[in-house]
Amino acid sequence: MGNHATNINDKPKDALKGQKRLRLVVFGFAVCFAVISGRLVELSLVRGFFGDHHAGVTREARLPRPDIVDRNGMLLATDIKVYSLFANPRKIIDVDEAVELLTAVLPDLNVKKLYKQLGNRKRAFVWLKREISPSKRAEVHNQGVPGIGFRKETLRIYPNGRLASHVLGYVDVDSHGIAGMEKFLDDQGALYTASLADPAKHAALPAHLAIDGRVQHAMSDEIAKAIAHFKAKAGAGVVMNIHTGEIISMVSLPDYNPNEPKSAQQSKSINRVTTGVYELGSVIKAVTFAMAFDAGVMTMTSKYDARRPLRIGRSVIHDFHAEKRILTVPEVFLHSSNIGTARMALDVGLEGHQAFLRKAGFFDRLVAELPEAAAPILPKRWGKLTTVTAAFGHGFAVQPLQGVTVASALMNGGKLIPPTFLKRDRESAQGQAVQLVKPATSEKMKYLFRLNAQKGTARKADKLAAGYRIGGKTGTAEKVIKGRYSKDHRLNSFVGAFPMEDPQYTVLVMLDEPQPVEGTYGYATSGWNAVPTAGKVIARIAPLLGVLPDLADLEKPKNKKAGTH
Amino acid sequence: MLKVINSILVVVLLVSAFVVYSLEYSIKQGERDIALAKKKTRQAQETIRLLDAEWSMLTQPERLQRLAMEHLKLQPVKAGQILPRNMLASKLPDRPVHDPSNTKNDPLARMLEDLN
């Protein structure tokens, strides 16, 4: 620069022109540098410190799918990374060599198909094998065949197999939920899923279900044994926490393996607890009792005339075990008298009966989290006969889960709590509860349920689960076959709770078309199959759920035994 | 004078260039380290997931029940075997029923021995 300046001074005439040009150039550079530095400062300091750090990283990243665990943290569903083998046929130099090398490591590849795939030069991408193990991947990788590559894929697996498959549901190959909680996490529960996710770390907390894996297995095991023993078509079971509405166990057999979604699409493996609707039969009688108590039309000392069948228009209502006498309220319950129960409903009246059933939620489709929830089937017109049959559970069909929910309300102090498959605490459950019946009514119902287990149709369950103070009501509903009630096709159920002095858990056991077998003396009603099954279930799950057996209750049979010896 | 200033500037330029380059290299090395650590973390996490899944598969209640029935002489707990805490003292046997040194009647210990 110094040299230039002397040069300019030597030629004064051009100096002015040269200096001007120089200034212009200097000015031009100065502006350019100022702009660049300004932009640098803006990008590095201003945006760096105050701006949005993720600006510019708008990669379309899907939220990671949360693991699903049971209430104790047992893993039920998780994502693992697997490798899939693909080829670019255009880049393959020697097809014969490639086929030879690949089949050496992966003998289950079809050679003919492989030749066809690799020889097709028109395509640039072809899957050879999905989901191969890490060790096989390393072997193929080390062969160094050109035109062969791996793509990392996410695979949803259910390490516990069939356990709780109806609750979990399953996903398709692209990890989209197709059924069950998996679908819930994608659709209605998207907000819940988002609350679990941590997009910055591309990780998610696990979704905690209300299910207890151990109880689920015990229930599933006992139902499976009962189906085999009583040659039933299907079976189902539910355990619900009576104070929180949490579903501790939900079993429906036959079930499917969510790792093989194809097995889920058979009609026999539907979820009978929420996808199927059934006439629950005598179990519903308990609802009628509670309604009559609550409406004040009945007390424990009321009496009902069951001497003759009840005549409504042209229809006649009989009792299954006709006592042909005047029955007290506990007797109506123990003998499961249709006539007595029908009279109770008539005393309450058609309007009151419908209003109560509506309040109990029987007229609405119950949707917990599972999307597979069927709407109830209700009579089109509600006449006197409808009330009479509905009183003992005929003429309207609901999800068995609705039956459990209402039964829980009858025994937990009268609170109708919406059921949930997700973990929930007692406070939040009580916040959502609706008072269905008065606490005093609930006390009376608890007495009747317990009495029925001690002296009535649920005796066998009490014996098998001695010490756990169970109470319950049985139901033997005749199934509708070709539009008529069939005497030989039954849907048997037991709904009950334990321990009865302060119920904690509600249990439902259902058997579809159990047959009379050896030891049931030709009978196939609920007391001979669903009830003992429920007893075995309760004896197994009560210790898992922390319910202590009552020793005083246990001493009695022991003493008896000592006496006979 | 100018020459001195110029030479100082040249030296400063060279030194600063060297510092900048060495800084950049160390940063690149750091970035490589971070990337490597992240990759290893990811791999470790994936391995943990895989092992979790495997553990869960091996501890399936159905499988445990089958194995217990096959190999152990244990039975499901009966109600009569459960005592409330306050009854414990009166029902305790005088001396331990199980002798830890005697592995004959302990099927689990026997299985472990067989493995060794």
Side-chain angles (χ1 to χ4, degrees):
Chain A
M1 275 248 284
N3 289 342
H4 269 280
T6 50
N7 241 350
I8 290 163
N9 286 344
D10 287 347
K11 290 175 181 171
K13 263 200 175 177
D14 295 334
L16 204 63
K17 210 177 166 187
Q19 262 183 351
K20 269 189 182 170
R21 196 179 287 159
L22 192 67
R23 268 187 209 152
L24 195 68
V25 171
V26 166
F27 180 74
F29 271 105
V31 169
C32 284
F33 276 111
V35 169
I36 291 171
S37 345
R39 181 78 178 138
L40 267 178
V41 168
E42 190 220 354
L43 280 179
S44 60
L45 293 180
V46 181
R47 285 215 189 163
F49 285 122
F50 309 110
D52 180 6
H53 286 258
H54 299 292
V57 207
T58 48
R59 191 160 47 93
E60 199 191 328
R62 253 173 63 196
L63 284 175
R65 202 170 183 82
D67 286 354
I68 300 178
V69 300
D70 84 340
R71 64 185 303 109
N72 304 315
M74 180 170 129
L75 194 63
L76 296 175
T78 188
D79 278 341
I80 57 165
K81 295 269 182 273
V82 289
Y83 295 92
S84 289
L85 185 67
F86 70 90
N88 180 350
R90 286 182 201 161
K91 284 193 180 162
I92 288 184
I93 301 161
D94 185 345
V95 177
D96 293 319
E97 189 204 7
V99 170
E100 200 174 307
L101 287 171
L102 284 175
T103 45
V105 178
L106 304 163
D108 48 339
L109 281 175
N110 184 339
V111 178
K112 266 188 194 164
K113 201 177 153 202
L114 201 58
Y115 263 111
K116 221 173 163 187
Q117 283 177 320
L118 297 183
N120 185 357
R121 300 249 161 202
K122 281 180 195 160
R123 298 187 63 181
F125 184 91
V126 52
W127 283 119
L128 296 183
K129 191 168 163 55
R130 305 294 283 261
E131 294 149 21
I132 63 175
S133 69
S135 61
K136 292 276 183 198
R137 183 192 97 94
E139 279 184 61
V140 174
H141 184 80
N142 290 339
Q143 290 177 329
V145 183
I148 299 283
F150 296 97
R151 196 166 276 187
K152 218 182 207 179
E153 286 191 303
T154 304
L155 177 69
R156 189 72 162 170
I157 59 159
Y158 303 89
N160 274 291
R162 290 169 176 272
L163 191 78
S165 53
H166 282 112
V167 182
L168 293 170
Y170 50 93
V171 296
D172 63 8
V173 273
D174 299 317
S175 273
H176 290 293
I178 297 294
M181 289 306 283
E182 295 281 24
K183 190 167 163 67
F184 168 79
L185 291 175
D186 280 352
D187 299 352
Q188 307 99 303
L191 269 179
Y192 170 74
T193 315
S195 74
L196 295 171
D198 182 356
K201 284 184 189 161
H202 200 75
L205 294 168
H208 271 273
L209 298 190
I211 295 283
D212 184 322
R214 304 163 305 167
V215 177
Q216 178 75 7
H217 167 68
M219 176 66 94
S220 171
D221 195 40
E222 291 301 335
I223 299 276
K225 279 181 196 161
I227 289 176
H229 186 243
F230 297 108
K231 302 187 181 77
K233 264 171 66 181
V238 176
V239 179
M240 182 188 272
N241 183 321
I242 207 165
H243 296 297
T244 64
E246 289 172 292
I247 293 154
I248 305 294
S249 162
M250 185 187 82
V251 172
S252 172
L253 295 176
D255 57 359
Y256 59 90
N257 186 346
N259 293 308
E260 301 153 17
K262 269 178 203 158
S263 61
Q265 279 138 19
Q266 296 160 346
S267 64
K268 64 173 185 176
S269 57
I270 65 153
N271 177 6
R272 282 150 213 277
V273 181
T274 65
T275 316
V277 291
Y278 299 94
E279 294 190 356
L280 295 181
S282 304
V283 166
I284 294 294
K285 280 179 189 153
V287 177
T288 313
F289 271 72
M291 173 182 71
F293 278 134
D294 218 49
V297 301
M298 177 173 89
T299 64
M300 213 48 116
T301 52
S302 304
K303 288 192 165 56
Y304 288 92
D305 185 355
R307 281 175 297 188
R308 276 177 297 279
L310 185 64
R311 212 170 268 281
I312 307 285
R314 277 189 297 166
S315 308
V316 185
I317 308 297
H318 296 277
D319 271 352
F320 188 71
H321 302 286
E323 293 286 316
K324 296 202 166 89
R325 58 187 172 96
I326 292 174
L327 299 171
T328 64
V329 168
E331 279 171 343
V332 174
F333 199 84
L334 298 196
H335 296 298
S336 203
S337 161
N338 291 343
I339 301 167
T341 323
R343 288 192 192 281
M344 287 173 203
L346 289 174
D347 288 349
V348 173
L350 270 58
E351 298 287 314
H353 191 196
Q354 283 184 72
F356 189 82
L357 293 181
R358 181 167 289 120
K359 195 177 171 191
F362 282 133
F363 290 177
D364 302 310
R365 175 169 169 246
L366 171 78
V367 184
E369 283 83 13
L370 297 192
E372 302 86 9
I377 299 173
L378 302 167
K380 288 189 187 73
R381 274 180 302 163
W382 197 281
K384 203 172 171 190
L385 186 64
T386 326
T387 268
V388 164
T389 56
F392 49 84
H394 280 230
F396 75 110
V398 293
Q399 298 170 28
L401 187 60
Q402 289 177 292
V404 183
T405 308
V406 175
S408 299
L410 300 186
M411 290 181 274
N412 71 2
K415 292 195 180 79
L416 187 69
I417 301 166
T420 180
F421 290 93
L422 291 171
K423 217 172 173 177
R424 171 154 81 187
D425 57 36
R426 200 164 164 166
E427 283 75 43
S428 109
Q430 298 298 328
Q432 298 172 45
V434 177
Q435 196 74 35
L436 179 66
V437 292
K438 301 180 194 107
T441 304
S442 179
E443 286 302 318
K444 288 175 195 155
M445 291 312 297
K446 271 154 65 177
Y447 167 76
L448 288 178
F449 274 115
R450 178 72 186 127
L451 195 69
N452 194 39
Q454 284 170 324
K455 295 178 178 167
T457 46
R459 275 191 315 271
K460 285 197 168 56
D462 198 47
K463 236 174 244 165
L464 284 162
Y468 294 114
R469 295 94 71 206
I470 69 165
K473 181 85 190 82
T474 59
T476 304
E478 285 159 3
K479 282 171 66 174
V480 179
I481 306 281
K482 290 176 191 157
R484 306 194 65 178
Y485 284 108
S486 160
K487 287 249 179 286
D488 304 320
H489 299 83
R490 300 183 182 85
L491 182 83
N492 291 0
S493 49
F494 166 90
V495 65
F498 67 94
M500 260 346 255
E501 74 279 358
D502 176 23
Q504 300 297 323
Y505 297 96
T506 319
V507 176
L508 167 85
V509 168
M510 251 172 54
L511 290 174
D512 193 354
E513 295 186 24
Q515 306 298 322
V517 295
E518 207 177 313
T520 68
Y521 310 102
Y523 289 107
T525 49
S526 182
W528 292 98
N529 36 56
V531 169
T533 308
K536 284 180 194 162
V537 168
I538 292 170
R540 249 178 105 167
I541 65 173
L544 297 175
L545 294 168
V547 175
L548 281 179
D550 188 344
L551 289 160
D553 205 40
L554 278 182
E555 297 298 325
K556 280 178 222 155
K558 253 185 210 164
N559 289 344
K560 228 186 228 172
K561 225 181 239 174
T564 52
H565 270 285
Chain B
M1 187 62 192
L2 267 177
K3 274 185 184 171
V4 174
I5 293 172
N6 277 349
S7 52
I8 290 173
L9 281 175
V10 167
V11 169
V12 168
L13 182 75
L14 287 176
V15 168
S16 58
F18 177 74
V19 169
V20 167
Y21 276 117
S22 58
L23 262 180
E24 200 176 319
Y25 274 121
S26 69
I27 287 168
K28 272 195 179 154
Q29 184 58 47
E31 278 173 350
R32 269 199 294 275
D33 288 349
I34 291 171
L36 192 71
K38 273 190 180 161
K39 197 180 161 195
K40 276 189 179 166
T41 318
R42 226 174 17 245
Q43 276 171 353
Q45 277 167 347
E46 264 167 41
T47 314
I48 291 171
R49 295 182 79 87
L50 212 62
L51 291 173
D52 267 345
E54 195 175 343
W55 171 254
S56 189
M57 209 168 325
L58 292 173
T59 55
Q60 277 179 51
E62 184 268 328
R63 181 171 182 271
L64 292 186
Q65 180 179 339
R66 205 178 58 235
L67 291 179
M69 302 255 262
E70 257 172 49
H71 298 289
L72 303 178
K73 283 180 184 165
L74 300 177
Q75 295 276 322
V77 180
K78 290 194 185 70
Q81 295 170 290
I82 303 172
L83 287 176
R85 220 168 301 160
N86 51 11
M87 297 273 290
L88 214 53
S90 62
K91 296 264 182 176
L92 274 182
D94 299 331
R95 56 192 176 77
V97 178
H98 177 68
D99 179 7
S101 60
N102 178 13
T103 52
K104 256 186 203 166
N105 293 323
D106 186 350
L108 265 182
R110 222 171 31 237
M111 276 168 73
L112 287 174
E113 260 172 25
D114 288 349
L115 282 177
N116 291 336

